[in-house]
Amino acid sequence: MTSRLGFGALHLTDGGWGPPVDRDAAKAVLRTAVDLGVHMIDTADAYGVGANEELIAEALHPYPAGLTVATKAGQCRPGRGEWVPLGRPEYLRQQAELSLRRLRVERLDLFYLHRVDPAVPLADQVGALADLRAEGKVDRIGLSEVDVETIEAARRVAPISAVQNKYSVDDRAYEEVVDHCTAESIAFVPWRPIPRGDARVAKVAAELGAPEAAVALAWLLARSPAIQPIPGTTSLEHLRENMSADAITLTADQVAVLDQS
């Protein structure tokens, strides 16, 4: 497992709502991702309402040494397209237990608070994950869609190993968080890391004769050593294109083009 690229499994299960449309094809994507050097598979209890975790276990269990399977709790799904933060400690514990069962493990490698629930004190939400860690049911704790202030408040309750925020060459609202995670040796895991139709990416991709997605991922890898992108796809072709980012070395001029606002 040598790549800093992970794999986001959300879209393998019918838009994140139900089981996969083609189960065998979805399992093939997961297995090929691991074969290509993906170091982390990213899922959540809410993806496919549990079906995503079950699919990952079916495809990859027993998990190869060095592979992290990261999952999350803290958003419930009252209906298709609905995502509602729910951070009550008893709910987070319940969902962790269900994830352990679905992933067929005794300890979750990396367990994120999927969203901070504004109706519940942050210390109670992170404290629930810390309790699970103390019991040996969680190895590392992560946060998602948070700012620096929230990260530091959470770190006063428990060690934080990873932060997963939306970030890409065309969406840089969390620049401060990237820099903070880099300085504090916290993994920064961008979700939705590949922009669509970005002229800067297209220009550099044409120069390199490389897929645009791979160029966008290469920019992230060059942006900070803390960054570990998790692009997702249902296509083996796109998966291979994404993984080709590891072979791209951007010049200073190309980085400057991509850095332009």
Side-chain angles (χ1 to χ4, degrees):
M1 305 297 170
T2 58
S3 178
R4 280 166 55 203
L5 292 170
F7 178 81
L10 168 65
H11 296 294
L12 294 181
T13 43
D14 190 19
W17 179 248
V21 175
D22 185 333
R23 198 168 200 87
D24 288 340
K27 289 192 291 185
V29 169
L30 286 165
R31 290 168 179 158
T32 303
V34 172
D35 290 343
L36 292 174
V38 156
H39 79 288
M40 177 168 61
I41 304 292
D42 181 86
T43 183
D45 65 333
Y47 297 172
V49 196
N52 203 272
E53 291 174 326
E54 291 171 349
L55 175 72
I56 289 166
E58 187 177 333
L60 300 176
H61 189 274
Y63 304 107
L67 179 69
T68 292
V69 179
T71 192
K72 316 176 195 71
Q75 289 210 92
C76 64
R77 303 293 304 278
R80 183 184 288 273
E82 295 183 79
W83 303 77
V84 179
L86 181 53
R88 295 198 303 270
E90 65 273 17
Y91 179 75
L92 297 174
R93 173 173 289 275
Q94 167 191 288
Q95 296 307 103
E97 295 287 356
L98 290 171
S99 291
L100 287 165
R101 185 184 309 170
R102 288 189 290 252
L103 289 170
R104 307 180 198 173
V105 294
E106 295 182 356
R107 181 175 64 180
L108 300 172
D109 295 333
L110 173 56
F111 192 47
Y112 288 94
L113 179 62
H114 202 166
R115 289 293 185 275
V116 174
D117 184 345
V120 178
L122 177 66
D124 291 351
Q125 297 175 71
V126 179
L129 275 57
D131 289 345
L132 289 162
R133 184 172 181 265
E135 295 166 18
K137 295 180 178 180
V138 167
D139 184 16
R140 289 165 284 161
I141 295 171
L143 304 171
S144 184
E145 287 300 293
V146 289
D147 57 19
V148 171
E149 181 181 0
T150 303
I151 294 168
E152 288 308 297
R155 291 176 77 194
R156 291 192 284 272
V157 179
I160 300 301
S161 297
V163 169
Q164 184 175 134
N165 286 5
K166 186 167 177 266
Y167 184 77
S168 67
V169 70
D170 71 341
D171 187 343
R172 305 186 199 175
Y174 286 112
E175 293 279 26
E176 184 181 7
V177 176
V178 174
D179 292 338
H180 184 74
C181 287
T182 304
E184 296 296 325
S185 298
I186 298 170
F188 183 85
V189 182
W191 62 273
R192 199 172 293 169
I194 300 173
R196 294 181 179 178
D198 187 284
R200 296 161 301 175
V201 174
K203 180 179 186 297
V204 174
E207 289 178 2
L208 293 170
E212 291 185 25
V215 169
L217 293 169
W219 177 83
L220 287 169
L221 295 174
R223 169 67 176 84
S224 164
I227 288 183
Q228 300 178 27
I230 48 168
T233 181
T234 61
S235 161
L236 288 173
E237 178 185 358
H238 291 162
L239 172 63
R240 292 188 176 96
E241 288 181 354
N242 293 345
M243 295 303 296
S244 70
D246 279 328
I248 294 175
T249 301
L250 299 171
T251 67
D253 287 345
Q254 289 166 341
V255 170
V257 169
L258 295 169
D259 281 344
Q260 292 172 5
S261 60

